[in-house]
Amino acid sequence: MIQGHKNITLRYTFIVLIMALLAFLVIIKATIIMFAERQYWKDVADRFVKENVIVHPNRGNIISSDGKLMASSLPEYKIYMDFKAGGIKKDTMLMNHLSEICNGLHQIFPDRSANEFRRTILAGRKKKSRNYQLYPKRISYIEYKEVKKLPVFRLSKYKGGFHELAFNQRKKPFGSLAMRTLGDMYPDMALGAKNGLELTYDSILKGKDGITHRRKVMNKYLNIVDKPAEDGADIITTINVDMQDIAEKALVDQLVNLEAEAGVAIVMEVQTGEVKANVNMTRASDGKYYEMRNLAVSNLMEPGSTFKTASIMVALEDKYITPDYVVDTQKGVVNMHGSKMKDWNWYKGGYGKIDVTRILEVSSNVGVSSIIDKFYGDDPQRFINALKRMDIDTPLHLGFVGEASPVILGPKERYFSKTSLPWMSIGYETMIPPIYLLNFYNAIANNGKMVKPKFVKAIVKDGEVIEEIPTEVVNPAICSETTIKQIQTILQRVVSHGLAKAAGSKQFSVSGKTGTAQISQGKAGYKSGRTKHLVSFCGYFPSEAPKYSCYVAIQAPKGIPSGGLQAGSVFSKIAERIYAKNLVVNLDEARDSTAILTPDVKNGCLKEAAYVLEALDIQNNSSTMNFEEKPLWGKVNNTVNSAELKENKINKRLVPNVRGMGAKDAVFLLEESGLRVRLSGMGSVSKQSIPAGSVIHKGQTITLTLRN
């Protein structure tokens, strides 16, 4: 009985082992079919009739404003061999041409020797694999075409056995340049875009799928097109590759120097709103800087002192102050509703009594907050409403994933203490993305006209423009013309006479405002030793005829934070390099160095002009004028060999035209008329704040803008 029981157990165990072995073999075979022979069985399936097979179109390109390819879809391949295809005849051909094939593969892929390719092919042949990988890496289309020229490989996959697996990959020829602006695709491009312009314009770039089906015709299967695939259109961006490169290098050099956490640099064309450069750098764990997020549109930060410009503009627009309005900033520290408001130089004794222009030149917290608290403290909502009228917080809807909108909340939206308004006026308790702050300064440069920033200028299909993206006006006038002229003059002096001198240039004039803001560290707040700073500069250039506006911000720089020195110097490098790039020499002005030329003569006192012309022995008409009775004022018209002096009659009751005069003559003439004169810049007078011909009011201040 026991012996029979043992036999049954033994047979049962044997059967279980056989079943387990069979199950294991099934799993192994299934794995081989799913992976090693995947392509072969897909090809077998393709031989049968298929209905509604989707054909994916080619994705459109992204092109820079200067015509350079910034993102494009390019095919890549993995190459395989079916050693059972073609039978004995093909195998004989393969062995006869083996050396030629291996040497050819080595020429195309030098990282592998001919012997290594030989071993690979023989190993696959020995296994009689139907899907043996010949090269481990993906290859380009050009490399694929070269491989297809080799013996045996040039045959069809059913005769020669060589076949490929195609991948459609998105490539950026300029690497990481403007990476966050352009955006990324999922590894499987059929899943679409993840972010950036790739996602914003995905519906335009991706095109439309086509549909085919397979039909057997005369013993052959043919692909019948039901609906052809429609390739995607190209988009022409506003990004200029050279400007993007200039901005990126200038910013990264400073980030490395300051060991900062992150930085942003944006360049925008004043009149059109076209974003020419958008750099967003964050320090990674390896200490290097990469574009990880589009900080320009998604980063909500307290703007700090760059916001003071908006606060002063509100008070100027409401006629509470003028550029000459004086504020007593005392010794740099004042009690503001129980809290101490300090200027950066309070430990040096402050600035005392200074006017509005000087307040922005030195970025006085006390000066700005005192003005806003005095005139709007009883009704803070009036200040908030005035800011909103300038559209500084109007959502721009740029279309980027993660795009943030400014947060400027007043008493109606949140709890508002007595200290909220003073601190808001100097750039705290508000959150503004960099692109919005730049757009506000761009409106100032554009004489009050606010336009929406744009990243795409046109959509192109088959080389033809099918849609142009127009410049969209957000606000035709953010404030009055008088306020714009006043703030333009002040911002120019901030750079020429204030804390932003590092942002200036010897080649042209720059206008703008510095910013240095503390970044709260959560529960740690603003405690000493834990506080980080955001230093920034926002402005435009050249001041007299602004072409570009630019914003630079650096987060958590090493050393003493200074918007003027740390961010302003980056602005200066970007501005000068862009200015030099766009500098065009007018050949019409070229002159023979050996020729005797009539020099340009400034408008002004004709007696002094005549003296210089006589000393240079240049022919002129000064002998016809009487310089004895009174000073003669006028201009000089040059010809090739002579100069003509022409007198302008001066009406003592009207403001004279001093444009084209030197500073000395202009100041003398205006002060003789009873006006106070303020100068800005260097060279001859290009603008005067009170138009010529206006009635003179004794003691009135006139601002003269000078340029070379």
Side-chain angles (χ1 to χ4, degrees):
M1 190 72 179
I2 296 174
Q3 184 65 33
H5 178 73
K6 287 183 177 179
N7 290 335
I8 292 171
T9 303
L10 185 61
R11 287 197 296 271
Y12 178 75
T13 303
F14 180 74
I15 292 170
V16 170
L17 289 174
I18 292 297
M19 296 298 291
L21 180 61
L22 289 173
F24 179 73
L25 291 175
V26 169
I27 293 172
I28 293 296
K29 184 60 177 177
T31 303
I32 292 172
I33 292 172
M34 290 173 63
F35 296 101
E37 298 180 356
R38 174 174 174 268
Q39 187 63 39
Y40 169 76
W41 290 110
K42 282 184 67 178
D43 293 341
V44 171
D46 286 342
R47 298 172 189 172
F48 296 92
V49 176
K50 285 187 177 181
E51 299 292 341
N52 298 330
V53 178
I54 296 176
V55 179
H56 296 293
N58 293 317
R59 190 174 180 84
N61 301 317
I62 300 179
I63 303 169
S64 69
S65 64
D66 47 341
K68 297 174 182 176
L69 191 63
M70 301 193 76
S72 182
S73 296
L74 299 174
E76 290 184 341
Y77 303 88
K78 282 191 173 182
I79 53 177
Y80 300 87
M81 193 69 181
D82 177 0
F83 289 96
K84 289 187 178 181
I88 296 175
K89 182 179 180 181
K90 188 272 299 186
D91 186 63
T92 302
M93 290 173 57
L94 176 67
M95 297 308 296
N96 288 340
H97 293 281
L98 185 59
S99 295
E100 187 179 348
I101 291 171
C102 293
N103 288 328
L105 289 172
H106 169 63
Q107 293 296 323
I108 300 169
F109 310 111
D111 59 321
R112 286 205 158 194
S113 66
N115 285 333
E116 287 178 302
F117 280 113
R118 184 184 185 89
R119 286 194 294 269
T120 298
I121 292 173
L122 291 177
R125 178 174 177 268
K126 184 178 181 180
K127 293 179 180 180
K128 296 182 180 180
S129 172
R130 307 216 68 160
N131 200 50
Y132 201 79
Q133 190 168 353
L134 298 177
Y135 187 65
K137 301 176 184 178
R138 292 184 182 183
I139 66 175
S140 68
Y141 176 75
I142 295 175
E143 291 170 329
Y144 168 74
K145 295 298 286 184
E146 290 298 315
V147 172
K148 283 290 289 180
K149 294 178 182 178
L150 297 176
V152 182
F153 290 2
R154 66 171 66 102
L155 302 175
S156 71
K157 60 183 176 182
Y158 301 115
K159 291 183 179 180
F162 177 80
H163 58 278
E164 72 287 334
L165 183 61
F167 300 87
N168 208 9
Q169 293 296 306
R170 200 66 166 166
K171 295 293 184 180
K172 297 184 176 75
F174 291 97
S176 63
L177 203 69
M179 178 184 290
R180 280 299 128 230
T181 305
L182 299 178
D184 295 311
M185 301 292 296
Y186 286 101
D188 182 356
M189 285 183 57
L191 297 176
K194 293 198 292 187
N195 48 46
L197 293 177
E198 293 277 19
L199 181 59
T200 305
Y201 289 86
D202 186 54
S203 61
I204 294 169
L205 290 165
K206 71 180 181 181
K208 296 179 180 179
D209 291 338
I211 299 176
T212 65
H213 72 273
R214 290 176 66 83
R215 179 177 296 172
K216 189 174 183 180
V217 178
M218 297 180 65
N219 247 4
K220 293 183 180 180
Y221 287 99
L222 302 177
N223 286 323
I224 308 300
V225 177
D226 299 316
K227 178 185 174 183
E230 184 178 330
D231 291 342
D234 301 336
I235 61 172
I236 309 296
T237 72
T238 61
I239 298 294
N240 180 287
V241 171
D242 292 337
M243 291 187 188
Q244 179 77 22
D245 188 49
I246 287 170
E248 183 174 310
K249 287 181 177 178
L251 179 64
V252 171
D253 287 347
Q254 185 72 310
L255 293 177
V256 171
N257 181 49
L258 298 175
E259 299 178 15
E261 289 183 0
V264 173
I266 320 167
V267 179
M268 191 158 77
E269 196 170 68
V270 170
Q271 294 186 351
T272 64
E274 292 184 4
V275 177
K276 293 299 181 183
N278 182 28
V279 185
N280 305 271
M281 290 294 174
T282 303
R283 186 173 62 189
S285 56
D286 62 0
K288 296 181 180 179
Y289 293 89
Y290 304 95
E291 288 217 340
M292 300 181 184
R293 291 174 53 222
N294 196 345
L295 301 173
V297 302
S298 65
N299 206 23
L300 273 174
M301 298 292 291
E302 291 177 317
S305 296
T306 51
F307 193 76
K308 292 174 182 174
T309 300
S311 299
I312 291 299
M313 284 179 67
V314 167
L316 287 170
E317 183 71 1
D318 288 343
K319 309 298 184 186
Y320 288 126
I321 61 173
T322 65
D324 300 321
Y325 181 84
V326 176
V327 177
D328 186 2
T329 64
Q330 301 180 34
K331 294 184 178 181
V333 182
V334 298
N335 188 312
M336 196 68 71
H337 305 291
S339 297
K340 289 184 177 180
M341 177 68 73
K342 294 182 178 180
D343 280 337
W344 71 272
N345 72 333
W346 64 271
Y347 60 93
K348 296 181 179 179
Y351 291 105
K353 293 183 179 181
I354 53 177
D355 64 18
V356 169
T357 299
R358 188 61 180 165
I359 285 172
L360 284 187
E361 285 178 4
V362 298
S363 196
S364 170
N365 294 332
V366 174
V368 174
S369 60
S370 295
I371 289 172
I372 301 305
D373 188 63
K374 177 179 179 180
F375 296 110
Y376 299 93
D378 294 337
D379 188 4
Q381 190 62 44
R382 284 194 305 115
F383 177 73
I384 304 299
N385 293 341
L387 287 174
K388 292 179 181 294
R389 283 196 298 272
M390 293 192 293
D391 284 304
I392 193 172
D393 69 331
T394 299
L396 296 173
H397 303 298
L398 300 174
F400 290 101
V401 172
E403 177 184 345
S405 294
V407 179
I408 302 177
L409 303 178
K412 294 181 179 180
E413 294 91 1
R414 66 179 177 94
Y415 170 74
F416 215 82
S417 68
K418 283 288 187 180
T419 59
S420 295
L421 184 64
W423 262 262
M424 177 182 285
S425 70
I426 62 171
Y428 292 96
E429 301 197 21
T430 59
M431 306 293 282
I432 301 179
I435 193 75
Y436 282 78
L437 196 63
L438 174 62
N439 201 41
F440 177 70
Y441 275 80
N442 192 80
I444 295 173
N446 202 21
N447 294 320
K449 183 179 181 180
M450 180 179 284
V451 296
K452 179 179 176 178
K454 65 177 181 178
F455 291 82
V456 172
K457 60 194 303 184
I459 299 170
V460 177
K461 188 71 178 288
D462 299 326
E464 293 185 6
V465 176
I466 59 176
E467 182 183 352
E468 289 189 1
I469 310 299
T471 297
E472 184 177 332
V473 178
V474 178
N475 189 335
I478 62 173
C479 62
S480 67
E481 184 179 350
T482 300
T483 300
I484 280 293
K485 296 301 180 186
Q486 290 172 333
I487 204 68
Q488 285 176 340
T489 300
I490 293 174
L491 291 179
Q492 188 172 356
R493 287 188 61 85
V494 170
V495 179
S496 61
H497 293 78
L499 298 179
K501 289 181 180 178
S505 170
K506 294 180 180 179
Q507 311 304 321
F508 52 88
S509 56
V510 172
S511 300
K513 182 70 183 71
T514 60
T516 304
Q518 294 183 8
I519 304 173
S520 178
Q521 304 299 300
K523 293 182 179 180
Y526 297 106
K527 291 182 181 179
S528 176
R530 298 182 181 179
T531 302
K532 295 182 179 180
H533 291 85
L534 179 76
V535 297
S536 60
F537 181 86
C538 195
Y540 52 88
F541 62 94
S543 298
E544 297 81 8
K547 177 68 173 174
Y548 299 105
S549 59
C550 179
Y551 176 80
V552 176
I554 298 173
Q555 186 172 322
K558 182 181 179 181
I560 300 174
S562 170
L565 291 174
Q566 295 171 330
S569 59
V570 177
F571 179 100
S572 178
K573 290 178 182 178
I574 293 173
E576 287 191 334
R577 291 169 187 174
I578 289 177
Y579 184 84
K581 176 184 177 297
N582 290 278
L583 194 62
V584 178
V585 178
N586 186 357
L587 296 180
D588 292 337
E589 297 178 357
R591 297 174 178 177
D592 187 350
S593 60
T594 62
I596 300 175
L597 304 171
T598 304
D600 293 329
V601 182
K602 293 178 181 178
N603 299 343
C605 180
L606 295 180
K607 182 177 181 180
E608 293 184 355
Y611 175 79
V612 174
L613 291 170
E614 289 290 343
L616 294 175
D617 197 22
I618 293 173
Q619 185 178 351
N620 62 84
N621 63 332
S622 59
S623 59
T624 63
M625 295 186 170
N626 184 4
F627 295 118
E628 301 299 329
E629 296 182 2
K630 58 181 179 179
L632 297 182
W633 303 92
K635 60 181 180 179
V636 179
N637 296 324
N638 288 350
T639 62
V640 177
N641 298 313
S642 64
E644 180 187 3
L645 282 67
K646 186 176 181 180
E647 181 184 0
N648 288 337
K649 300 294 184 180
I650 302 298
N651 188 330
K652 294 186 177 181
R653 293 179 298 175
L654 302 177
V655 176
N657 183 0
V658 296
R659 286 179 298 177
M661 291 188 182
K664 184 184 74 170
D665 285 351
V667 171
F668 176 84
L669 181 57
L670 292 171
E671 288 188 344
E672 189 180 44
S673 301
L675 296 172
R676 295 172 58 191
V677 182
R678 183 193 296 274
L679 297 176
S680 175
M682 297 180 292
S684 57
V685 179
S686 62
K687 292 182 182 178
Q688 57 186 86
S689 60
I690 303 176
S694 302
V695 177
I696 291 176
H697 299 284
K698 301 289 185 180
Q700 190 176 12
T701 299
I702 182 171
T703 300
L704 303 182
T705 302
L706 311 178
R707 67 173 176 178
N708 293 323

